[in-house]
Amino acid sequence: MTAVDERLTTDATEVFEQLEAPEGFKVELLRGDIVMMAGPDRVHNAIVESVQDQIPRARWRRLQTQDIAIPGEKSEPQPDLVVLERGAEDGPGRLIPAPAVTLLLEVVSKTSADRDYGEKRSIYAAGAVPAYLIIDPMAQHCVLLTEPTGTGEGADYRVERTTKFGEPAPLDLLGVELDTGDFETLPPITRHRRP
C-alpha cells in the first residue's frame, strides 16, 4: 500500500490573505514567507507620529497599517508609514500598488533590524518605491534610500544618506526637512548585519 499525501497545497499568498492575526500582532508577506511580529512599543509609535505630523497633509496622504502590493514579488509588506501624493491612489481595497507610493518608512526594532535594513530594502527597491526611510532608535540615526534600481532580490537603492538624531534629515521628494530632535532612543543592541 502506498501512502498518499492528500493535504491541500496552497500558495503562500492565498494562505496569507485568509490569515487572521491575533489581536496586537502585525503580519506581512515577504518574498513568500509569512512573518508575524508583536505590535510596536511606545518609542516606535512616537517616532512614526512625529514623522507623520511633519509631512504636510494638504499634499500628502500619510497612512499607517497599510499593505503595499509589490509588482513581480510575492510580498505584501505593511510599512510603519506610507506616504503618497493625494489622488495617486484613491480606490478601495487593502493594497496600495507600490508605483503609487512616494516614500515608505520603517522604524527599526530589535527583532526587525535585518528585515528593515536588508530584505525590505530589496523589496521596496524592486517595487521602484522612490524613497525608503529607515529610522533606527537604537543606532540613533535615519537612513534615507533613493533611486531604486534592479529587480528581485538583486534590487537596491543607488543613493544612501545617513543622518544622526538631532540633525535635520532632508526628504527632498516631499519638500520636507525632517526634525529628528525629538526622536526618542532605545538601548543599543548587538550590531545587526546591516549598515
Side-chain angles (χ1 to χ4, degrees):
M1 180 183 284
T2 305
V4 177
D5 185 355
E6 295 181 337
R7 291 177 293 174
L8 178 64
T9 304
T10 319
D11 183 86
T13 305
E14 293 174 33
V15 172
F16 177 73
E17 289 174 359
Q18 301 302 317
L19 186 66
E20 291 187 34
E23 189 172 331
F25 283 83
K26 174 179 168 178
V27 181
E28 298 177 294
L29 181 64
L30 302 176
R31 295 220 159 104
D33 291 333
I34 297 172
V35 178
M36 184 180 306
M37 61 210 83
D41 67 13
R42 188 192 57 75
V43 169
H44 173 284
N45 287 338
I47 289 172
V48 173
E49 178 188 46
S50 177
V51 173
Q52 182 172 331
D53 288 349
Q54 294 181 61
I55 298 171
R57 180 184 170 91
R59 180 174 177 198
W60 303 102
R61 299 205 64 194
R62 301 115 5 118
L63 307 174
Q64 295 181 39
T65 65
Q66 180 64 60
D67 295 326
I68 303 297
I70 309 290
E73 291 273 334
K74 283 190 176 185
S75 296
E76 294 179 14
Q78 189 183 92
D80 295 322
L81 188 66
V82 176
V83 180
L84 63 153
E85 200 156 4
R86 291 202 171 272
E89 177 64 33
D90 290 327
R94 92 179 161 77
L95 291 169
I96 289 183
V101 173
T102 300
L103 178 136
L104 296 176
L105 164 70
E106 296 287 0
V107 177
V108 178
S109 72
K110 53 186 174 176
T111 60
S112 74
D114 281 338
R115 279 190 307 278
D116 293 341
Y117 280 104
E119 190 171 23
K120 286 187 176 182
R121 176 179 177 149
S122 172
I123 289 170
Y124 296 159
V129 173
Y132 172 33
L133 179 62
I134 303 168
I135 299 180
D136 190 331
M138 292 156 294
Q140 301 175 25
H141 68 218
C142 305
V143 178
L144 178 63
L145 303 163
T146 57
E147 297 185 24
T149 184
T151 59
E153 291 183 27
D156 201 358
Y157 287 89
R158 287 187 184 118
V159 178
E160 179 176 321
R161 179 183 184 142
T162 302
T163 306
K164 293 180 181 179
F165 282 12
E167 298 174 358
L171 302 179
D172 296 338
L173 288 171
L174 305 180
V176 170
E177 190 167 86
L178 193 62
D179 179 358
T180 66
D182 69 345
F183 289 179
E184 295 180 53
T185 61
L186 292 169
I189 58 171
T190 303
R191 189 75 178 152
H192 37 75
R193 293 182 290 140
R194 308 295 181 194

